Amino acid sequence: MSSNTLVAILCSLLGGLAGALITLLSSYLIAKIKIKQEAKLWENEFAVNYSKLLVTDPEAAKLLARQFAVGLIIIKDSDKETISKHFIPYQCKTSIGRHDDNDIILTDPHVSRDHCIIYQRNGNMLIQELSPKNGTYVNSARINKTHILESGDIIQVGGIELNFESLT
């Protein structure tokens, strides 16, 4: 066999391998993009359906929130006894304040109408202060706008203590 024939065979093999590798890589990237799109669609559908369920069937919404919860807020009284528990659903914001349209309603006069919200972003649980007038505290330190929550953090809203537990 001549050296030209060997070079031709080798080039042919390398070309075939390169083509197969490109096909495999492009298939992988397309699958990864489709999975990301499906996950985003599911997240959006979950948030929309949860919001609708909150209006039509609040008890079913609570069950759904519990199944897909990323966090838990435990409200305690002055004797450190648990008053109530509120699950933070996946891809949803949980609002805290004095007004009736909040997810967690606190009647303390030092709590603002719309005091703060808790939500998940980029794998972190965040608390965002909406009304700086009355202040929001995490582990006795006043937060400035937004703060990353850790499991076990104690949130102070007005005169009420909230315990945060991560469920992820």
Side-chain angles (χ1 to χ4, degrees):
M1 220 184 267
S2 72
S3 62
N4 285 343
T5 308
L6 286 174
V7 169
I9 292 172
L10 192 57
C11 285
S12 186
L13 283 172
L14 287 175
L17 284 173
L21 185 60
I22 290 170
T23 302
L24 184 63
L25 187 58
S26 62
S27 295
Y28 169 77
L29 292 175
I30 290 169
K32 191 171 181 177
I33 289 168
K34 283 184 179 180
I35 289 170
K36 206 172 204 177
Q37 289 172 339
E38 288 292 321
K40 193 71 171 165
L41 180 63
W42 185 86
E43 290 171 1
N44 291 337
E45 286 179 4
F46 177 83
V48 168
N49 290 332
Y50 176 76
S51 298
K52 287 178 185 175
L53 200 55
L54 265 175
V55 174
T56 59
D57 191 350
E59 286 305 311
K62 283 182 185 177
L63 289 172
L64 186 64
R66 189 176 194 160
Q67 281 185 315
F68 293 97
V70 292
L72 174 66
I73 294 293
I74 303 166
I75 301 176
K76 302 211 172 185
D77 64 15
S78 57
D79 296 326
K80 308 289 184 203
E81 295 295 322
T82 299
I83 297 172
S84 61
K85 295 179 180 182
H86 302 270
F87 290 93
I88 302 167
Y90 178 71
Q91 291 296 324
C92 296
K93 293 179 179 178
T94 299
S95 60
I96 300 171
R98 234 181 32 245
H99 197 263
D100 292 346
D101 63 358
N102 285 292
D103 299 306
I104 300 175
I105 302 165
L106 304 175
T107 56
D108 185 297
H110 296 100
V111 173
S112 301
R113 281 174 54 97
D114 299 305
H115 200 98
C116 59
I117 56 173
I118 297 176
Y119 58 97
Q120 185 182 41
R121 179 176 290 154
N122 299 327
N124 292 314
M125 293 300 298
L126 302 165
I127 184 167
Q128 180 180 347
E129 184 173 60
L130 300 176
S131 177
K133 178 184 169 191
N134 292 322
T136 302
Y137 298 81
V138 176
N139 300 326
S140 302
R142 186 166 183 166
I143 68 167
N144 184 16
K145 292 281 184 189
T146 305
H147 178 83
I148 296 174
L149 290 170
E150 301 289 332
S151 198
D153 280 349
I154 298 171
I155 303 165
Q156 188 78 29
V157 178
I160 299 176
E161 185 178 288
L162 313 162
N163 291 25
F164 171 76
E165 294 298 332
S166 177
L167 299 177
T168 56

